[in-house]
Amino acid sequence: MFQKAISNFTQQHSYSSLCPKAFFFDMDGVIFDSMPYHAKSWVKAFEEIGIKFSEYKAYLNEGRTGASTIANEFLEQKKRNATETEIQQLYKIKSHNFEKCGDPIPMPYASQVLQKTKSLGIDIFLVTGSGQSSLLQTLNTFYPGIFSPDKMVTAYDVKHGKPHPEPYLMALEKANIKPNEAFVIENATLGIQSAVAANIFTIGVNTGILDEKELIQAGTNLIFNSMQDFYLQMDFLLDCCKKR
Ligand code: CA
């Protein structure tokens, strides 16, 4: 299955090889099990300004920047553009709600995946649509010695959030590598679309409530049911890359 996914990918892009020098990790739903908190925080924030927003919709919007999520709902429900001030105020409320949710919960087996990646000499980048300063600081508490500020792309760095390829293109630039020298690890459809549009081999880890066909339709090259599942098959997957 891995060999076939790799062959399909390299043929499609006319790459001579797939040899990962860096793994680009999404954060929410991959590194932290934070999506339930985000969903609740969004619903409550929108409620305050009379916009109906469901937790399900929050999951569908996962990976999009906060500003873009707010702009879309204003257009759809208030039939006008949100002002910069409205966007900033609402995002502040959402962030405040999120911070009140309590300590983030590390995703099971994220630590093992990160440690193994590091031990294999593969570079670790974080590519997230989040701009929560508290969450970024928390990375070092839960995963000491893994992440560094120069190896991160956050909401502050990009003009276009996922599903636009910009976040992953910027990660390639920061890592100074080609698209066939990276793997992306993503859990959400918009994130997968972003990685696929950047022509990077994309590993979908289905840690949320979505039917796996959603991730497949978004274009993921491989799919795992959990970070544990991915962890257990990392060696085999990397061997398949080397054999080509
Ligand atoms: Ca995510």
Side-chain angles (χ1 to χ4, degrees):
M1 182 184 80
F2 292 165
Q3 282 291 6
K4 191 163 187 289
I6 293 166
S7 311
N8 288 346
F9 176 79
T10 51
Q11 276 169 22
Q12 185 196 346
H13 295 282
S14 305
Y15 293 149
S16 58
S17 63
L18 176 63
C19 181
K21 291 180 180 170
F23 281 6
F24 298 164
F25 289 92
D26 171 49
M27 185 168 70
D28 294 300
V30 171
I31 301 297
F32 289 115
D33 195 7
S34 39
M35 269 314 292
Y37 288 170
H38 279 294
K40 283 184 175 57
S41 304
W42 273 121
V43 172
K44 234 179 125 196
F46 274 121
E47 220 171 61
E48 286 194 23
I49 57 158
I51 286 181
K52 276 187 193 159
F53 196 79
S54 64
E55 287 186 24
Y56 186 78
K57 202 159 189 186
Y59 275 89
L60 285 179
N61 274 283
E62 189 190 341
R64 212 184 279 285
T65 61
S68 168
T69 301
I70 293 165
N72 286 351
E73 291 311 308
F74 263 78
L75 271 180
E76 202 176 294
Q77 296 193 42
K78 292 196 184 275
K79 311 291 179 202
R80 66 169 177 87
N81 290 312
T83 65
E84 267 309 305
T85 313
E86 283 170 329
I87 288 174
Q88 281 170 18
Q89 279 176 350
L90 194 60
Y91 193 62
K92 205 172 154 189
I93 295 170
K94 187 264 167 180
S95 302
H96 183 63
N97 292 345
F98 183 78
E99 277 156 24
K100 283 194 299 189
C101 286
D103 289 336
I105 301 161
M107 184 61 72
Y109 274 83
S111 179
Q112 285 90 332
V113 168
L114 291 166
Q115 289 296 346
K116 191 172 181 64
T117 307
K118 196 181 173 186
S119 74
L120 292 168
I122 294 170
D123 243 350
I124 293 170
F125 278 72
L126 186 82
V127 183
T128 177
S130 178
Q132 311 273 351
S133 57
S134 63
L135 204 48
L136 291 175
Q137 285 158 5
T138 310
L139 280 167
N140 285 333
T141 310
F142 285 91
Y143 304 103
I146 293 289
F147 296 99
S148 68
D150 58 325
K151 292 178 180 177
M152 286 185 189
V153 177
T154 73
Y156 299 118
D157 297 305
V158 296
K159 269 198 206 106
H160 310 283
K162 301 168 187 178
H164 194 280
E166 188 187 5
Y168 283 111
L169 292 174
M170 193 175 280
L172 286 173
E173 206 177 297
K174 282 195 183 191
N176 195 24
I177 56 174
K178 297 188 188 94
N180 65 333
E181 294 173 328
F183 276 4
V184 166
I185 296 96
E186 268 284 355
N187 71 305
T189 55
L190 296 176
I192 289 168
Q193 286 170 20
S194 167
V196 168
N199 301 320
I200 304 173
F201 191 80
T202 307
I203 293 162
V205 185
N206 196 15
T207 62
I209 59 171
L210 300 174
D211 191 311
E212 73 169 28
K213 74 172 181 231
E214 305 277 2
L215 278 67
I216 293 164
Q217 276 167 9
T220 193
N221 298 104
L222 281 178
I223 190 155
F224 295 95
N225 294 322
S226 63
M227 285 294 270
Q228 180 179 12
D229 192 15
F230 174 49
Y231 173 71
L232 294 173
Q233 301 192 64
M234 271 173 84
D235 281 326
F236 182 54
L237 174 59
L238 290 167
D239 278 348
C240 290
C241 290
K242 277 185 207 143
K243 276 182 199 141
R244 289 187 44 79

